Amino acid sequence: MKIIVPMAGRGSRLRPHTLTIPKPLIPVAGKPIVHRLVEDIAGVINQPIDEVAFIIHESFGKKVEDDLIAIAQKLGAKGTIYYQNEALGTGHAIMCAKDSLSGPAVIAYADTLIRADFDLDKTADSVIWVKQVDQPEAFGVINLNANNEIVELVEKPKEFVSDLAVIGIYYFKNISVLRDELQSVLDNNIIHGGEYQINDGIKQMMAKGMKFVPGKVDEWMDCGNKDVTVETNSRMLGFLHNDGEHLIDYGVKQENATIIPPCYIGEDVVLINATVGPNVSLGKGTHVIDSKIKNSLIQTHVHIKNADLDNAMIGNHASFDGNFKSISIGDYSVLE
């Protein structure tokens, strides 16, 4: 089994954080989004993973590439790096990993997290993960026939089709079939929304009678912008806490400090006259002094003083001293 992870863009909706770090490497509950995603997919599939192929922009640099290879190796898999240097769409991104597109594979976009537990339908040519949503008109949705097979993909339907939204995770029994259809999309310059789309390859597969079925997830968590990423951090902390996972480093230094779970607190964190939680992640080396923090995602080596934070997101090596409450501060910023 292979996992294909398109993650080429840094993501403008999560600026200023993505100016210095790719969005999929922003930590949620102490672990990068893409790391959690790949682990979750491997857990759901419950099959040995042979290769994890990451499609990135070459500007991400060697350290990012090394970190991604390490994620694959942790699963006992080969890690492969491909480049998409122009934002030409999901279909184009997948085809940048053309050399890895053979055999059974999962495609998973690296700005989403899931919680799921089910068996793959091995009689199907493909499984498309979906989640029931309240406002289907805001999403791409699937249309099912009487046999619970997917017969249509509809993007942001104006009239009700279904309330099952496509979340951006797909399984293909033989991904070389999708590869060939996407090659046809590229060769024939089939463009929607100014880009080459995975859906056009999927629609061609459907037209040839291939069987697509839905895979439903229990939880779907977005990491597209600051507010939903902070919310996802809170939800993930709750899941991990309920799973009994130990989230607070044993070496945290506390002086007149209170920790209200669930929280993730990394190595070398210092808390002085501080109340932290619930739903807070504090990265390695962070110092919190004379402050209260809840429902927030704080990355590594951050210094916070005289603050009362709620729904905040602060990047690495930032310094914040003040009375603002809901903030979004990127790496290396200083507010005093």
Side-chain angles (χ1 to χ4, degrees):
M1 178 70 69
K2 297 178 181 178
I3 302 177
I4 313 297
V5 188
M7 50 180 288
R10 287 185 177 270
S12 59
R13 292 190 299 153
L14 203 47
R15 291 179 180 172
H17 303 275
T18 50
L19 294 174
T20 53
I21 183 172
K23 178 169 61 175
L25 294 183
I26 290 175
V28 167
K31 188 178 292 186
I33 294 167
V34 67
H35 195 160
R36 287 202 177 279
L37 174 66
V38 170
E39 286 187 343
D40 288 346
I41 294 297
V44 168
I45 297 302
N46 197 27
Q47 296 181 25
I49 306 301
D50 304 313
E51 180 183 5
V52 184
F54 300 94
I55 301 107
I56 67 173
H57 194 283
E58 62 181 354
S59 67
F60 283 12
K62 187 176 185 306
K63 184 182 184 307
V64 169
E65 293 183 19
D66 290 345
D67 290 344
L68 294 174
I69 296 297
I71 292 172
Q73 291 175 340
K74 187 176 179 181
L75 294 174
K78 171 187 175 184
T80 311
I81 303 294
Y82 294 96
Y83 302 110
Q84 185 195 34
N85 290 326
E86 294 182 86
L88 297 178
T90 56
H92 178 267
I94 293 162
M95 288 300 286
C96 289
K98 186 175 180 179
D99 290 346
S100 293
L101 301 183
S102 61
V106 170
I107 295 172
Y109 296 113
D111 60 355
T112 190
L113 292 171
I114 64 168
R115 300 279 285 188
D117 183 16
F118 60 87
D119 294 324
L120 283 175
D121 183 347
K122 295 181 180 178
T123 68
D125 296 295
S126 177
V127 178
I128 299 178
W129 273 262
V130 295
K131 180 72 173 72
Q132 192 171 30
V133 295
D134 293 331
Q135 296 178 305
E137 67 274 9
F139 302 90
V141 300
I142 60 170
N143 194 7
L144 298 172
N145 64 14
N147 295 322
N148 200 44
E149 296 173 356
I150 301 171
V151 293
E152 188 179 17
L153 297 174
V154 184
E155 186 63 29
K156 296 182 179 179
K158 294 182 180 179
E159 297 183 0
F160 183 82
V161 174
S162 83
D163 58 359
L164 297 176
V166 177
I167 69 170
I169 304 177
Y170 312 79
Y171 164 77
F172 295 90
K173 185 162 61 176
N174 187 350
I175 200 171
S176 65
V177 180
L178 176 68
R179 177 197 66 202
D180 294 344
E181 298 301 339
L182 286 177
Q183 187 62 59
S184 173
V185 169
L186 296 178
D187 292 343
N188 291 285
N189 201 34
I190 300 172
I191 294 176
H192 289 97
E195 298 179 336
Y196 300 100
Q197 305 289 355
I198 184 177
N199 281 1
D200 289 310
I202 289 174
K203 289 174 182 178
Q204 291 179 182
M205 292 176 66
M206 288 180 177
K208 294 179 178 178
M210 295 185 178
K211 180 180 177 181
F212 284 72
V213 299
K216 295 183 181 180
V217 298
D218 301 319
E219 299 287 344
W220 172 30
M221 294 164 281
D222 188 16
C223 300
N225 60 44
K226 173 255 182 178
D227 285 340
V228 297
T229 301
V230 170
E231 179 185 353
T232 290
N233 179 71
S234 296
R235 291 173 65 189
M236 184 60 69
L237 286 170
F239 295 137
L240 297 175
H241 178 74
N242 290 336
D243 289 345
E245 187 165 330
H246 185 77
L247 299 173
I248 299 175
D249 186 78
Y250 292 106
V252 174
K253 297 179 181 178
Q254 301 183 56
E255 181 180 319
N256 190 31
T258 301
I259 299 173
I260 305 171
C263 289
Y264 167 82
I265 301 182
E267 299 175 4
D268 302 322
V269 168
V270 176
L271 306 175
I272 301 174
N273 299 325
T275 300
V276 175
N279 305 318
V280 173
S281 288
L282 298 180
K284 179 179 180 178
T286 290
H287 289 208
V288 180
I289 301 171
D290 298 323
S291 299
K292 297 179 181 179
I293 306 175
K294 62 181 179 180
N295 306 314
S296 296
L297 198 169
I298 314 298
Q299 297 188 48
T300 65
H301 304 286
V302 177
H303 284 246
I304 298 171
K305 293 177 63 178
N306 306 313
D308 184 358
L309 298 178
D310 186 4
N311 188 38
M313 186 167 175
I314 301 180
N316 301 286
H317 299 276
S319 178
F320 177 72
D321 184 344
N323 296 316
F324 300 101
K325 196 174 187 73
S326 177
I327 60 173
S328 181
I329 302 173
D331 292 1
Y332 296 96
S333 300
V334 177
L335 276 75
E336 296 179 337

